[in-house]
Amino acid sequence: GDLDKVVNLLLSLSGRLARVENALNNLDENTSPEERRTLVEKQKLLTQQHEDAKELKENLDRRERIVFDILANYLSEENLADYEHFVKMKSALIIEQRELEDKIKLGEEQLKCLTDSL
């Protein structure tokens, strides 16, 4: 459960940080100083939150290694390999699921825009 939450948190923060950085990079000379300052503050906050989330992931990885070491005493090599594969695939599938959800959302937004333009 913690793995799901931490991976989703990292993905969410990474996406939000990327959007803010893109907005900052696309500011023109007509942008008000207040708007620029707001984006910079948001970037700093998201950067700190992302660093905190990476620390959570590192702690989770340490816990995972401890659990793996404990299970190594009780499971056969085959079962231990299955467990290790499960944990690795779970993270990969969470990331893939998030990417697919983002693509679906983008597709729905594009479809709405196309429908509205007709």
Side-chain angles (χ1 to χ4, degrees):
D2 289 346
L3 182 61
D4 290 350
K5 292 173 189 167
V6 172
V7 170
N8 279 318
L9 177 62
L10 279 167
L11 291 171
S12 176
L13 290 170
S14 295
R16 291 173 59 197
L17 186 56
R19 285 191 293 276
V20 168
E21 288 173 348
N22 284 338
L24 276 170
N25 290 334
N26 293 324
L27 292 178
D28 58 21
E29 61 275 350
N30 298 328
T31 304
S32 71
E34 183 177 325
E35 186 177 344
R36 183 180 301 275
R37 186 173 47 253
T38 300
L39 285 171
V40 169
E41 288 173 10
K42 194 177 284 190
Q43 180 188 32
K44 287 178 184 175
L45 178 63
L46 287 169
T47 300
Q48 183 56 51
Q49 289 175 338
H50 191 262
E51 290 301 316
D52 292 344
K54 286 196 308 192
E55 283 183 37
L56 286 173
K57 178 69 169 93
E58 289 169 5
N59 288 336
L60 187 62
D61 290 344
R62 276 193 292 279
R63 283 179 27 209
E64 179 186 327
R65 284 190 298 275
I66 291 169
V67 169
F68 183 85
D69 291 342
I70 292 170
L71 289 176
N73 294 324
Y74 298 97
L75 298 177
S76 67
E77 282 189 35
E78 183 181 334
N79 286 340
L80 193 60
D82 287 345
Y83 168 78
E84 187 175 27
H85 178 73
F86 168 78
V87 172
K88 287 180 181 178
M89 287 305 298
K90 187 170 184 174
S91 291
L93 290 172
I94 291 168
I95 292 168
E96 187 175 337
Q97 178 185 9
R98 183 63 178 256
E99 289 173 352
L100 290 172
E101 288 170 353
D102 290 346
K103 286 179 182 180
I104 289 169
K105 185 177 177 182
L106 177 63
E108 289 171 345
E109 290 171 0
Q110 290 174 337
L111 182 60
K112 184 183 181 310
C113 289
L114 286 172
T115 304
D116 292 347
S117 69
L118 295 175

